[in-house]
Amino acid sequence: MDLRQGLLRWFRQHARDLPWRHDRTPYRVWVSELMLQQTQVKTALPYYQRWMERFPDLRTLAKAPLSDVLKAWEGLGYYRRARFLHEGAKHIQEHLGGHFPNTREKLLELPGIGPYTSAAIASLAFGLPHAVLDGNVERVLLRLTATRESTDSPGLKARLSRWADGFFDPKHPGPFNEAMMELGATVCTPVQPSCTRCPFAAGCLARRQMCAHEIPVPPVKVPAKKISRDFQVAFHGGRVLLAQPEESGRWQGLWTFPLLPSYSESRFHAGKSAPKSRSRPLPSENATPFLVRHSIVQERHESRFHPDFHRGETRSGCRWHSLKRARSLPMPIAHRKAFEHFFPD
Ligand code: SF4
């Protein structure tokens, strides 16, 4: 049996039962693909289910206010993806008569859709012959060919793309693409691939050369940038002060605690110590700040939230909200954690 047939047979027997694999409309595929970028399946599952209850179709999503869309995404991170879905839904409703683009070229015109997502939607939702190339597929191809080159080496991406096209099964575009991604996610995993369960075992060069664990070769590590910020948690008269959403940038559309100006964006690199001097004292110096650490791609964030429950000063670009209202507003996850810490439900 050829490798591709073996893969499809393996997929029929072992595919996980995931909600986006049922009732495969372009809209459902689009939402799942954006949700699964940078997010693991088990994290995305409850979000996907809630999203489909709240925004079951394009029309509902297009009509929803951005704050509702961001609220439904709260905690998943990379909020640009939610904004892309919202903008895309509005674009399809307003300019394409509610008809989802049905070719790869037209899909590429939607916000936030690049080569991978367009190939995924075109093949999974419309059965068009486009091979996908995501991190899982790349790893499988690199191991099949025992390629020990660093993943950032020049020209490798283009070669991988040619291999993916050459290996692709145009008679079964959707199932083939999904099977390759599923194999990478569940069998040919980054650490300890389960070669004995793999439909490619007989033809895989990395397995034959016993070097699967060395592939892919990661690029030389750039030290993560450390970003330290201090925020004010002002609470007065039953209301909390929040900074209005940015008009652009990572937190566009999200409410946050106000940044403390004396501390704004004290950036320093890993290995060096944080700046010690500061120009103004923090509010409520003796109250304990709440610390949240999290990572985003090449950045390590350290956010300190300082309670300030004695003054009711308004700051420009900020608004006071009741706790009930603040609870319903979309916030970045670090700020939501701080909110829940200081104002538990
Ligand atoms: Fe990956 Fe092993 Fe399968 Fe090769 S045989 S593709 S290394 S799981």
Side-chain angles (χ1 to χ4, degrees), residues 24-36:
R24 219 189 267 280
T25 64
Y27 172 69
R28 288 168 64 89
V29 173
W30 181 40
V31 173
S32 66
E33 287 301 331
L34 261 77
M35 246 177 214
L36 290 169

Side-chain angles (χ1 to χ4, degrees), residues 178-296:
E178 244 189 327
M180 283 292 280
M181 293 190 278
E182 186 83 344
L183 189 75
T186 62
V187 174
C188 195
T189 46
V191 181
Q192 292 186 330
S194 309
C195 300
T196 50
R197 296 195 289 122
C198 180
F200 294 156
C204 176
L205 288 184
R207 183 177 191 229
R208 209 174 296 162
Q209 296 172 15
M210 296 197 294
C211 63
H213 60 288
E214 294 166 16
I215 298 172
V217 178
V220 178
K221 249 193 171 165
V222 180
K225 187 196 282 178
K226 194 169 174 188
I227 298 177
S228 181
R229 288 172 172 158
D230 291 77
F231 297 92
Q232 177 193 23
V233 182
F235 181 67
H236 194 75
R239 293 186 304 158
V240 63
L241 189 66
L242 295 180
Q244 284 176 321
E246 292 176 3
E247 282 179 15
S248 62
R250 184 180 283 164
W251 286 347
Q252 184 190 352
L254 300 172
W255 292 82
T256 62
F257 288 109
L259 195 63
L260 280 164
S262 53
Y263 268 75
S264 53
E265 308 256 353
S266 56
R267 287 160 183 257
F268 49 95
H269 289 278
K272 293 189 187 164
S273 56
K276 285 198 174 73
S277 63
R278 56 181 194 240
S279 51
R280 281 207 278 156
L282 289 167
S284 308
E285 283 281 8
N286 24 11
T288 315
F290 180 67
L291 174 68
V292 182
R293 288 195 179 96
H294 60 111
S295 299
I296 303 174

